[in-house]
Amino acid sequence: MLLWATAGGVALGFLVALEIMARHYGVPGPLTTQVREVVCPPKSGFLLYACMALMMVVLPWRERFIAAGAAVGIDLVFVVARWMLGIDVDLDEAHPFGNGALWVVLGCAVIAVTRRTGRERVLLLKGIGLGLLLVTGRKTGDAWLLITAKSRPTVLDPYVATADHALGNPSWVVGRLVRASGSIGFHVLDVVYGQLAVAAVVVAMYQLRNVAAERRFPRHHLVRTFLVIGMLGPAVYMIFPVVGPVFTYGPGASGTGGLHWAVADLWPDIPSPLSPPHPVPYDGLTPRNCMPSLHTAWATAIFIHSRSGPRVLRVAGTFWLIATLTATLGFGYHYGADLVAGVVFTLTIEAALRAQVRGWDRSGLQLAAYGATVFVALLLSYRFLPVQMAGRPWLFGPVLLLAMGSVVYGYLRTTRLWEPAPAALQRPEPQPEMV
């Protein structure tokens, strides 16, 4: 309980600091945006219901049905009230539902403090904290992305775009394929890309399906990896600010960027030119959130954790990974180099977390140290060797893939040693024949 209280205090302190920093740049912080969603139309109703679903893993089935019914009922009241007051909801910016889910989670927090005691109180508070961390992490990420745009006036896209020639400019290739797939392919990928957190909740709920019966959480699950990725990844954004090919070499997207900010109007038809790269100025709205690709990192984590589930979950995890990689490249949000770094980033974090669960297992820590070394080497090569990489794609392309592959191989080899060996089938002893 002391550990959870300490973690909660640290998280609250971080949120307050981020709120102050965001207000310094003239934008609302995560605490402000979260409080608004108690009444105002939420940015993502699906995320709030996913938050509630994650919290409900600690509840018995009867209480789950009551909580879900209450959330839907509260949302209906909000919809009717907004209609009677003539309040229109901009569906491009918010959802007309989701407030009910947030009210139910907050109501359960009140019940935990006032009506529960001992281990039952602690378990319910853990479930509530887990759910709120999901939505708070999203709010924190949104605020942090705006801070990266305000505090990093120049971006390093020309360096990554030049280095990406070693991989064959995959964003340009996949971008043309997505455009050729038409509106159906675009909308499918858009849903997959936008609802990554919901997919994570589905996998997490399978992993946490026995919490209500066992009255305890498993030692390691997807939410832990998701949160650590979300905490560490944005720090790299500040060190290596990159906005993506659709912004630097195209018209921009999601209301930010534009050809007046682009180096040239090239994406996805003409690869970026091979010339000595240099930092370029960009607007104060577009997030510098490319290096590493956290969408790739999170989709990789979903894929890894879905491996222990039934066949349908494994298939879904594989589909989500492939579709997310296609979307990140095909929408022009990322370079191929970002994806390579994202995979290494996730496996390094996953190895460290699993080593911690096993009592700081030595092989897991060695793998985490190796993954961190490869990740830093990737960033340094993108920054200081892009021209050499583009000039020798036959050498550096395979080297990049082998570096990523070595971390993948190390992870598979290490984790397989941790898996319990299947029990050998017991053959019946031969019995003497009856005479």
Side-chain angles (χ1 to χ4, degrees), residues 349-375:
I349 290 173
E350 182 71 15
L353 289 176
R354 295 193 65 178
Q356 181 266 328
V357 167
R358 297 180 62 85
W360 301 110
D361 180 87
R362 182 179 179 182
S363 61
L365 292 178
Q366 289 174 339
L367 174 60
Y370 175 71
T373 302
V374 172
F375 180 74

Side-chain angles (χ1 to χ4, degrees), residues 73-429:
I74 294 171
D75 268 333
L76 289 176
V77 171
F78 270 98
V79 169
V80 173
R82 290 184 186 122
W83 174 74
M84 293 179 64
L85 295 173
I87 301 174
D88 294 326
V89 178
D90 184 356
L91 298 181
D92 292 329
E93 298 293 333
H95 288 153
F97 61 90
N99 304 94
L102 183 57
W103 276 57
V104 166
V105 173
L106 296 177
C108 287
V110 173
I111 291 173
V113 174
T114 60
R115 303 292 297 275
R116 300 288 177 89
T117 59
R119 294 181 59 186
E120 290 300 310
R121 173 186 289 176
V122 172
L123 185 67
L124 182 53
L125 287 175
K126 284 182 179 180
I128 294 165
L130 204 61
L132 288 177
L133 277 174
L134 180 68
V135 66
T136 303
R138 173 70 175 269
K139 300 300 178 186
T140 302
D142 291 343
W144 187 263
L145 293 181
L146 285 172
I147 291 172
T148 65
K150 300 291 185 182
S151 62
R152 292 294 181 267
T154 61
V155 297
L156 303 178
D157 283 74
Y159 293 88
V160 186
T162 302
D164 226 35
H165 281 271
L167 296 171
N169 301 297
S171 181
W172 273 257
V173 175
V174 181
R176 292 194 295 271
L177 292 175
V178 170
R179 185 172 61 185
S181 69
S183 60
I184 295 178
F186 178 89
H187 287 302
V188 169
L189 293 177
D190 188 50
V191 169
V192 170
Y193 190 86
Q195 301 302 327
L196 186 67
V198 178
V201 168
V202 172
V203 176
M205 287 184 66
Y206 173 78
Q207 292 182 320
L208 304 176
R209 65 193 183 280
N210 295 324
V211 170
E214 298 177 355
R215 313 310 293 165
R216 64 180 180 84
F217 281 86
R219 299 184 66 188
H220 182 55
H221 48 81
L222 175 60
V223 181
R224 297 179 78 231
T225 308
F226 239 67
L227 292 174
V228 175
I229 289 173
M231 286 190 295
L232 298 181
V236 186
Y237 294 164
M238 304 294 283
I239 301 170
F240 209 115
V242 181
V243 292
V246 73
F247 297 99
T248 312
Y249 299 98
S254 303
T256 61
L259 291 176
H260 54 289
W261 286 105
V263 174
D265 186 11
L266 303 175
W267 188 88
D269 298 304
I270 304 171
S272 60
L274 284 176
S275 58
H278 57 86
V280 296
Y282 211 79
D283 68 18
L285 294 175
T286 305
R288 280 59 165 155
N289 62 340
C290 279
M291 184 61 70
S293 168
L294 291 197
H295 260 78
T296 297
W298 282 319
T300 302
I302 290 173
F303 173 80
I304 292 171
H305 284 265
S306 67
R307 297 302 90 193
S308 59
R311 181 180 179 85
V312 64
L313 199 64
R314 297 197 303 270
V315 171
T318 303
F319 166 77
W320 219 269
L321 175 61
I322 295 173
T324 299
L325 297 181
T326 303
T328 56
L329 293 173
F331 292 160
Y333 296 154
H334 288 282
Y335 304 90
D338 307 337
L339 273 61
V340 172
V343 172
V344 173
F345 188 69
T346 295
L347 294 178
T348 301
I349 290 173
E350 182 71 15
L353 289 176
R354 295 193 65 178
Q356 181 266 328
V357 167
R358 297 180 62 85
W360 301 110
D361 180 87
R362 182 179 179 182
S363 61
L365 292 178
Q366 289 174 339
L367 174 60
Y370 175 71
T373 302
V374 172
F375 180 74
V376 172
L378 290 173
L379 297 186
L380 292 175
S381 65
Y382 299 157
R383 180 63 176 82
F384 297 107
L385 298 174
V387 175
Q388 293 83 344
M389 294 171 70
R392 298 177 178 82
W394 52 269
L395 171 62
F396 284 97
V399 166
L400 289 177
L401 296 178
L402 285 173
M404 179 183 70
S406 67
V407 178
V408 173
Y409 172 76
Y411 178 83
L412 292 174
R413 184 173 180 272
T414 302
T415 54
R416 281 173 182 168
L417 294 176
W418 291 342
E419 299 297 332
L425 293 176
Q426 296 292 327
R427 292 190 175 184
E429 294 287 338

